[in-house]
C-alpha cells in the first residue's frame, strides 16, 4: 500500500518546528556550561541558516502552487513567525560572543528553559496543524501564552536584580540587552501561538 506523501507546506513547517526544538535544546544546554562560545555561535548560525532554507522553500512553493491546504497568507505569516523564534535565539548567541560573555548566568539559564519548553509546545502544535487537528492545537497556544507571561515576570525580576547589584555600567548594558532580547524571543513564541489561533478560527 502506498503511503500518501505529506503536503509540502505542512512538511516544511514541521521541519522548521523540529529545527527550533533542536536549536532551543542546544541553546539551553550551552548556556549552562559556556564551554566554547565560538562553537556555540557557529552551531546556532547553522540552525538559523537551515530555517532560512525552509522559508525559501515555502516562498518558492507558494509562487508555483495554485491550491494550498490553508490560506496562502496564513502559511507565509506562520513561516515568518517561526523564523523569528530561531532568529531571536541566534541573535542572543551572537551577543554572547560580541560582548565577551562566557560565564553562566542563572537568569539566562531560566530564560533558556522557558524557550526550550516553548519550542516543544510549538512543535506539538505544528504537527497537529499538519494532521488538521485544529482544536487540539489550542492547548499548546494557551501554554505558549503562559510561558510568555513567565518570560515577562522573569525580565522584571532580573532587571531589578541587575540595577540593584551590578555596579559596572558596561556589564549592566550588556546584560540588560541580552535579558530583553531573550524576553523578546518569548514574545516571538507567543506570536506563533497567536498566528495558530487565527488559523484555527478561520478553518474550524
Amino acid at each position: 500500500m502506498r503511503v500518501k506523501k505529506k503536503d509540502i507546506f505542512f512538511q516544511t513547517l514541521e521541519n522548521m518546528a523540529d529545527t527550533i526544538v533542536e536549536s532551543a535544546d542546544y541553546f539551553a544546554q550551552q548556556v549552562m556550561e559556556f564551554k566554547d562560545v565560538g562553537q556555540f555561535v557557529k552551531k546556532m548560525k547553522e540552525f538559523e541558516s537551515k530555517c532560512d532554507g525552509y522559508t525559501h522553500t515555502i516562498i518558492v512553493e507558494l509562487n508555483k502552487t495554485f491550491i494550498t491546504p490553508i490560506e496562502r497568507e496564513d502559511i507565509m505569516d506562520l513561516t515568518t513567525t517561526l523564523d523569528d523564534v530561531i532568529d531571536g535565539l541566534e541573535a542572543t548567541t551572537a551577543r554572547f560572543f560580541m560582548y565577551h560573555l562566557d560565564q553562566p548566568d542563572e537568569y539566562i539559564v531560566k530564560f533558556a528553559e522557558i524557550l526550550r519548553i516553548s519550542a516543544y509546545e510549538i512543535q506539538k502544535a505544528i504537527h497537529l496543524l499538519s494532521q488538521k487537528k485544529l482544536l487540539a492545537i489550542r492547548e499548546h497556544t494557551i501554554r505558549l501564552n503562559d510561558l510568555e507571561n513567565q518570560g515577562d515576570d522573569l525580565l522584571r525580576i532580573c532587571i531589578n536584580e541587575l540595577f540593584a547589584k551590578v555596579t559596572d555600567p558596561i556589564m549592566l548594558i550588556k546584560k540588560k540587552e541580552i535579558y530583553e532580547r531573550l524576553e523578546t524571543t518569548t514574545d516571538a513564541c507567543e506570536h506563533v501561538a497567536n498566528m495558530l489561533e487565527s488559523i484555527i478560527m478561520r478553518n474550524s
Side-chain angles (χ1 to χ4, degrees):
M1 181 180 167
R2 286 181 64 185
V3 177
K4 189 178 177 185
K5 192 176 176 184
K6 192 172 282 186
D7 176 89
I8 183 68
F9 297 106
F10 287 146
Q11 182 61 65
T12 309
L13 289 168
E14 283 187 7
N15 291 342
M16 286 188 85
D18 294 346
T19 304
I20 287 170
V21 164
E22 199 179 349
S23 65
D25 271 341
Y26 181 76
F27 184 91
Q29 178 197 353
Q30 293 300 311
V31 297
M32 284 194 294
E33 300 169 352
F34 271 104
K35 278 185 179 172
D36 184 344
V37 176
Q39 178 60 28
F40 184 11
V41 171
K42 184 180 172 194
K43 185 72 179 171
M44 291 302 295
K45 189 67 186 170
E46 287 173 7
F47 286 128
E48 192 219 7
S49 298
K50 196 172 174 183
C51 270
D52 285 345
Y54 293 135
T55 301
H56 179 70
T57 298
I58 285 181
I59 291 169
V60 169
E61 291 296 327
L62 282 174
N63 282 328
K64 67 182 187 186
T65 305
F66 185 65
I67 298 174
T68 53
I70 55 176
E71 291 292 329
R72 310 168 70 82
E73 293 76 13
D74 288 343
I75 293 171
M76 197 61 239
D77 289 346
L78 185 56
T79 303
T80 303
T81 54
L82 287 171
D83 196 49
D84 288 344
V85 174
I86 203 152
D87 282 350
L89 289 169
E90 192 279 331
T92 305
T93 311
R95 277 154 182 78
F96 295 149
F97 177 77
M98 290 189 291
Y99 297 165
H100 298 271
L101 289 180
D102 54 8
Q103 295 292 323
D105 172 310
E106 65 171 305
Y107 296 115
I108 293 173
V109 170
K110 287 179 180 175
F111 267 119
E113 183 59 13
I114 290 172
L115 288 165
R116 193 185 69 79
I117 298 169
S118 297
Y120 277 94
E121 295 297 332
I122 288 171
Q123 183 188 44
K124 289 171 190 167
I126 294 295
H127 282 256
L128 286 168
L129 176 66
S130 183
Q131 298 162 34
K132 299 190 177 174
K133 295 179 179 175
L134 298 185
L135 295 179
I137 294 173
R138 192 151 280 149
E139 173 188 342
H140 304 290
T141 61
I142 291 169
R143 184 78 179 120
L144 283 164
N145 289 332
D146 178 56
L147 287 160
E148 192 277 334
N149 288 334
Q150 290 181 34
D152 285 345
D153 292 342
L154 181 58
L155 180 66
R156 292 187 191 107
I157 292 166
C158 65
I159 295 290
N160 178 283
E161 184 94 350
L162 193 63
F163 279 86
K165 293 186 175 175
V166 176
T167 54
D168 177 356
I170 302 298
M171 181 57 72
L172 193 148
I173 291 167
K174 291 176 181 177
K175 288 281 186 80
K176 182 172 179 289
E177 184 182 338
I178 285 173
Y179 293 152
E180 288 174 342
R181 189 162 286 276
L182 285 163
E183 194 278 329
T184 300
T185 309
T186 68
D187 290 343
C189 294
E190 187 182 44
H191 295 160
V192 174
N194 293 341
M195 192 59 232
L196 287 164
E197 282 288 345
S198 176
I199 291 170
I200 295 168
M201 190 174 65
R202 278 201 282 271
N203 293 277
S204 57

